[in-house]
């Protein structure tokens, strides 16, 4: 009900952000561990010697949409919040803030990521792409162009998240079938109900890809 | 002067892509949530964790000393009572969101926890009087309303067949993806600007002006308050006016002398950002052997939270069908946030309490429910037809009959329908239908539009109204372009700012029937002004100039075509301008008939597969046939209908606010346990717009949501031959219905 999204806002001794802050003391280490979960048990003691970060803001350089940008955020700040609140990159939306809805989807090194579930400090050195990167001058990428053509958006608040997730799915497999694309979008939620039109857009994109190569 | 739509329409009725499509799809569109102002502070609200409590003490001294804190605004003080878990107590602004969140946790509050009731049935068992006083009374259960028509007793006594059942829908939440909130900034001139996520741009500015002028005795005329809503991420009826977070943000901004952003977090959005009231009822219906319904009786209740309003549309029970009635409705006040209007307020409830029992009756009569409906449709009203020949009342039978035929054909009803429960196998197929109705007329208050034509040929259409995702922005350009012989993309829009003229909130599906005629008038007036101004310079008479094909302006007398640019260039240093307004009063003037009108029907047919071992329901196909008078932009209109159907499917299968009896809190204020369907959960959706241009423009945002859950519920009944009477139709409820039915599956 308050920031924590917890059921007991006032009584919560430890909010999620506090949790991230404390465990984030070794955020870089955690990120590394995440890639090798099996090694967690052995690696953990060695990593305890890693120097902690924060709680004061940390200077950070991020690669966002092919530009190198610098800011300072506390280590507990998510990639989503760093982009939106500190770098004014607002194509990624904050809706659930806990990895359920997909509105905050960005590409990190080409993979679709819920940016609300990643700390900004973890994203250093990685290539971050948001929906804003899918228009170059006046030229729309094929995915948002299909959303426009088939009217696969109403309020549009969920749309950049869907567009990024779909772009990532086609990048991963240009010959993906509609069912595979739908699966890739299953972590995104739209309240206005644009799925039927989205399917029209998917059908066209899958067809084009088939013909194109 | 009479207003009318052009007889030949070039753009209206054709699919025009959303003009703001590219900026929205690429994240470039700036919603209120995305506004970052220089020096902006972030605010959060502290909410009550108890369903009913009194504040014993409130101490924000420590919070005030926390890093980055710039302003605190107490909404409640010691001694005050709070009536629902989530009620706002205090707002706090700090330099960063992180600091604001830390600081709000440092506020010390002691509560005296008081008894609460959060479930309707608990209040019916024992009224503990746990809610805020209304007229000095704290009753949870308000006195019932009842009414009966004279023919009821005889209708019920004479009925050869009688059926009864219990049906209901729970409280559901609006769950707008862009939460409620805004950025508030006071200017050096003492004016206030807000970037608000609202369905009422103009109304929000007016309310803020009134509130702050009154409270601080300052000179704050409405013109000095500007509300900007270029893009907004969903409202569905829950976002009118500044709301408490709007007032608090503006207060904090005033104290801190800095812009303040206050957007609700997800849990707050769900708990406090709006909910639809519940409705549960016992229904009894009587009919002749051949299926003519003779009497309908309902006794229902529901909760508007701490509110006091009805949770059904009392005078429209039964829904759609004219039947001798006896009705009773009880409002139950509970310790939960007050209900808000939600997409066709109270109509889904009425639909529930009417459409389910029709299929139960059809089963008892051994009748096809489609035939039962045809047999009991309202008749066309000949008297009303004399005054308004294109009104719904005049055409009800015609419209519904036609829509049922279309829906039946599109869904292959004849081949697919079978007697309830009469299929083999574990996974059973079912098909069901339901009807709905809605108004959708122009708003009673004025909606304004201004169209300006410049010498360089550019055209600006200006209106303060909002585009919730409905496509209104595109419609404004489309109508302007239609009249001027241009393309929608050639129209520059000045849109969604309160200083652009009056407009009403987008409620009741009133926006398009208010705005389209206002735009029609403004564009027509601008065109006439243009012709009057340039005609002398072209050596022509204004009345000889007409908008011809391909955007050429034709001098009829000389049969000479001019390009738009050539014509506009003659304006020289002048502009051509037209303004237009529209409201309900204008729409019913005999001269203006059929520019916009009121009243729609709508028929939906759903198909499901029900797994009788797991209870899982999968909806496979929905056909939605919807009329809305003259379809202005079929592309966005179809989106509205499909979107309504999907929201209705979510009601049917997933959505329910679950309250915890012990703590009085909502247990699923999130998006994993308050579930909304994803793309893989979706059926194929077939939308058929029953275009009736002769009726003029009618709003369509709300009606398509009304009957979907009922069609799905009836399809489940058709599949398994047992009634699952309450939404959402969860596996647990399906299995319970199967068990209650007993026998072989
Ligand atoms: S905001 Fe990140 S998944 Fe919902
Ligand atoms: S378009 Fe509004 S939530 Fe998807």
């Amino acid at each position: 009900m308050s920031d924590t999204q917890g059921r007991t806002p006032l009584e919560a001794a430890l909010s999620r952000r506090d949790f991230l802050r404390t465990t984030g003391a070794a955020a870089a280490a955690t990120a590394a561990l995440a890639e090798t979960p099996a090694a967690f048990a052995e690696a953990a003691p060695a990593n305890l010697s890693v120097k902690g970060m924060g709680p004061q803001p940390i200077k950070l350089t991020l690669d966002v949409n092919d530009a190198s940008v610098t800011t300072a955020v506390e280590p507990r700040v998510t990639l989503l919040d760093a982009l939106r609140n500190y770098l004014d990159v607002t194509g990624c939306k904050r809706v659930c803030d806990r990895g359920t809805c997909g509105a905050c989807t960005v590409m990190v090194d080409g993979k679709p990521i819920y940016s609300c579930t990643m700390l900004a400090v973890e994203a250093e050195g990685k290539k971050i792409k948001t929906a804003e990167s899918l228009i170059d001058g006046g030229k729309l990428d094929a995915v948002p162009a299909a959303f426009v053509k088939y009217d696969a958006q109403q309020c549009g608040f969920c749309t950049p998240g869907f567009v990024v997730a779909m772009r990532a799915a086609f990048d991963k497999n240009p010959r993906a079938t509609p069912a595979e694309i739908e699966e890739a979008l299953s972590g995104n939620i739209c309240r206005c109900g644009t799925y039927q039109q989205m399917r029209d857009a998917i059908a066209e994109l899958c067809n084009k890809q088939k013909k194109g190569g | 002067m009479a207003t009318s739509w052009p007889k030949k329409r070039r753009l209206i009725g054709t699919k025009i892509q959303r003009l703001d499509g590219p900026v929205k799809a690429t994240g470039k569109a700036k919603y209120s949530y995305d506004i970052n102002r220089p020096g902006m502070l972030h605010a959060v609200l502290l909410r009550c964790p108890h369903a009913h409590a009194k504040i014993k003490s409130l101490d924000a001294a420590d919070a005030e000393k926390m890093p980055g804190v710039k302003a605190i605004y107490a909404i409640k003080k010691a001694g005050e009572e709070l009536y629902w878990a989530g009620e706002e107590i205090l707002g706090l602004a700090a330099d960063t969101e992180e600091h604001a969140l830390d600081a709000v946790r440092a506020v010390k509050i002691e509560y005296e926890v008081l008894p609460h009731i959060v479930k309707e049935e608990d209040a019916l068992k024992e009224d503990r009087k746990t809610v805020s006083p209304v007229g000095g009374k704290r009753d949870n259960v308000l006195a019932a309303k009842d009414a009966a028509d004279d023919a009821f007793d005889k209708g019920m006594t004479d009925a050869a067949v009688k059926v009864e059942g219990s049906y209901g829908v729970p409280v559901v939440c609006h769950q707008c993806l862009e939460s409620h909130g805004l950025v508030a900034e006071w200017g050096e001139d003492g004016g206030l600007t807000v970037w608000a996520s609202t369905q009422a741009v103009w109304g929000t500015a007016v309310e803020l002006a009134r509130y702050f002028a009154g409270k601080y005795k300052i000179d704050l005329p409405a013109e000095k308050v500007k509300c900007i809503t270029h893009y907004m991420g969903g409202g569905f009826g829950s976002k009118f006016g500044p709301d408490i977070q709007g007032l608090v943000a503006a207060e904090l901004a005033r104290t801190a002398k800095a812009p303040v952003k206050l957007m609700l977090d997800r849990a707050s959005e769900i708990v406090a950002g709006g909910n639809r009231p519940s409705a549960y009822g016992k229904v009894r219906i009587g009919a002749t052997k051949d299926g003519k319904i003779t009497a309908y009786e309902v006794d229902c209740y529901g909760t508007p939270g701490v509110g006091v309003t009805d949770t059904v549309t009392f005078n429209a029970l039964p829904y759609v069908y004219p039947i001798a009635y006896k009705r009773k409705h009880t409002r139950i006040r509970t310790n939960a946030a007050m209900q808000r209007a939600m997409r066709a307020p109270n109509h889904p409830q009425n639909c529930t309490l009417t459409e389910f029992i029709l299929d139960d009756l059809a089963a008892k009569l051994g009748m096809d429910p489609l035939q039962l409906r045809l047999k009991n449709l309202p008749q066309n009203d000949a008297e009303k037809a004399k005054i308004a020949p294109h009104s719904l009342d005049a055409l009800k039978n015609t419209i519904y009959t036609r829509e049922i035929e279309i829906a039946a054909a599109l869904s292959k009803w004849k081949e697919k329908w079978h007697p309830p429960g009469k299929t083999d196998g574990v996974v059973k197929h079912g098909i069901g239908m339901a009807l709905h109705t809605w108004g959708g007329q122009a708003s009673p208050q004025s909606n304004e539009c201004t169209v300006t034509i410049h010498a360089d040929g550019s055209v600006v259409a200006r209106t303060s109204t909002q585009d919730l995702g409905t496509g209104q922005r595109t419609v404004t350009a489309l109508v302007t372009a239609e009249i001027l012989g241009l393309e929608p993309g050639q129209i520059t829009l000045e849109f969604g700012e309160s200083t652009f003229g009056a407009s009403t909130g987008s409620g009741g599906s009133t926006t398009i029937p208010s705005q389209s005629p206002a735009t029609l008038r403004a564009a027509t007036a601008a065109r006439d002004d243009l012709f009057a101004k340039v005609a002398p310079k072209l050596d022509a008479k204004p009345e000889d100039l007409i908008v011809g094909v391909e955007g050429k302006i034709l001098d009829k007398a000389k049969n000479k075509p001019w390009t738009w640019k050539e014509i506009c260039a003659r304006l020289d240093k002048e502009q051509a301008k037209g303004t237009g307004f529209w409201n309900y009063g204008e729409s019913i003037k005999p001269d203006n008939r059929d520019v916009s009108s009121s009243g729609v029907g709508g028929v939906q047919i759903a198909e499901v597969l029900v797994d009788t071992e797991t209870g899982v329901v999968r909806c496979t196909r929905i056909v939605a046939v919807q009329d809305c008078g003259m379809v202005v932009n079929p592309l966005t209109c179809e989106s509205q209908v499909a979107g309504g159907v999907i929201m209705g499917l979510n009601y049917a299968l997933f959505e329910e606010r679950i309250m915890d009896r012990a703590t009085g809190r909502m247990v699923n204020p999130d998006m994993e346990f308050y579930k909304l369907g994803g793309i893989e959960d979706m059926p194929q959706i077939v939308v058929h717009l029953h275009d009736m241009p002769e009726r003029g423009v009618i709003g369509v945002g709300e009606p398509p949501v009304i009957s979907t859950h009922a069609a799905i519920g009836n399809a489940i009944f058709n599949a398994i031959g047992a009634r699952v009477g309450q939404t959402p139709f969860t596996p647990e409820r399906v299995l319970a219905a199967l068990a209650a039915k007993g026998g072989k599956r």
Side-chain angles (χ1 to χ4, degrees), chain B residues 460-530:
Chain B
V460 177
R462 166 187 272 233
T463 171
S464 66
T465 197
Q466 49 282 326
D467 187 335
L468 281 51
T470 55
Q472 180 55 49
R473 175 186 267 112
T474 308
V475 161
T476 299
L478 192 163
V479 172
T480 307
E482 172 84 54
I483 301 307
L484 301 180
L486 301 172
E487 292 304 315
Q490 290 174 273
I491 312 300
T492 304
L493 288 159
E494 292 183 350
F495 196 89
E497 297 188 19
S498 57
T499 47
F500 293 164
S503 63
T504 46
S506 289
S509 303
T510 57
T511 309
I512 198 171
S514 306
Q515 284 288 329
S516 310
T519 311
L520 166 71
R521 281 177 157 184
T524 307
R527 181 199 64 196
D528 293 348
D529 188 36
L530 171 73

Side-chain angles (χ1 to χ4, degrees), chain A:
Chain A
M1 225 150 292
S2 76
D3 61 291
T4 63
Q5 305 253 356
R7 313 286 146 71
T8 55
L10 292 174
E11 297 142 352
L14 197 64
S15 76
R16 181 184 60 131
R17 277 161 211 274
D18 287 337
F19 178 76
L20 285 179
R21 178 166 52 178
T22 45
T23 54
T30 319
L33 287 172
E35 274 152 34
T36 50
F40 188 87
E42 286 118 283
N47 274 290
L48 286 178
S49 63
V50 169
K51 199 170 164 292
M53 289 182 186
Q56 75 285 356
I58 311 257
K59 240 185 118 188
L60 204 64
T61 303
L62 295 176
D63 178 347
V64 182
N65 298 333
D66 292 328
S68 174
V69 289
T70 310
T71 186
V73 300
E74 291 182 40
R76 59 175 157 163
V77 171
T78 62
L79 174 58
L80 173 67
D81 290 356
L83 288 169
R84 292 181 52 81
N85 295 347
Y86 292 83
L87 297 165
D88 200 29
V89 179
T90 55
C92 41
K93 307 296 183 194
R94 185 159 85 184
V95 173
C96 71
D97 206 16
R98 55 198 273 170
T100 324
C101 74
C104 63
T105 305
V106 301
M107 279 190 250
V108 176
D109 286 341
K111 284 201 198 105
I113 297 280
Y114 290 154
S115 61
C116 69
T117 62
M118 186 182 215
L119 292 172
V121 292
E122 292 178 88
E124 262 202 309
K126 299 186 158 65
K127 282 184 91 60
I128 300 153
K129 293 250 187 196
T130 69
E132 284 99 327
S133 70
L134 298 175
I135 184 164
D136 189 4
K139 184 141 176 34
L140 262 187
D141 176 89
V143 170
F147 271 69
V148 174
K149 180 172 171 190
Y150 292 99
D151 206 39
Q153 53 182 346
Q154 289 180 36
C155 80
F157 208 70
C158 70
T159 312
F162 274 98
V163 164
V164 171
M166 202 189 288
R167 178 74 271 164
F170 277 117
D171 285 351
K172 189 173 161 205
N173 177 10
R175 288 158 178 279
T177 62
E180 285 164 347
I181 297 297
E182 284 200 17
E183 197 188 337
L185 299 180
S186 61
N188 292 66
I189 289 172
C190 171
R191 182 45 151 168
C192 297
T194 55
Y195 300 117
Q196 181 64 36
Q197 285 72 12
M198 228 179 273
R199 280 184 175 152
D200 297 340
I202 293 169
E204 179 185 277
L205 289 165
C206 287
N207 258 331
K208 252 196 211 156
Q209 299 278 22
K210 231 194 276 166
K211 281 191 202 126

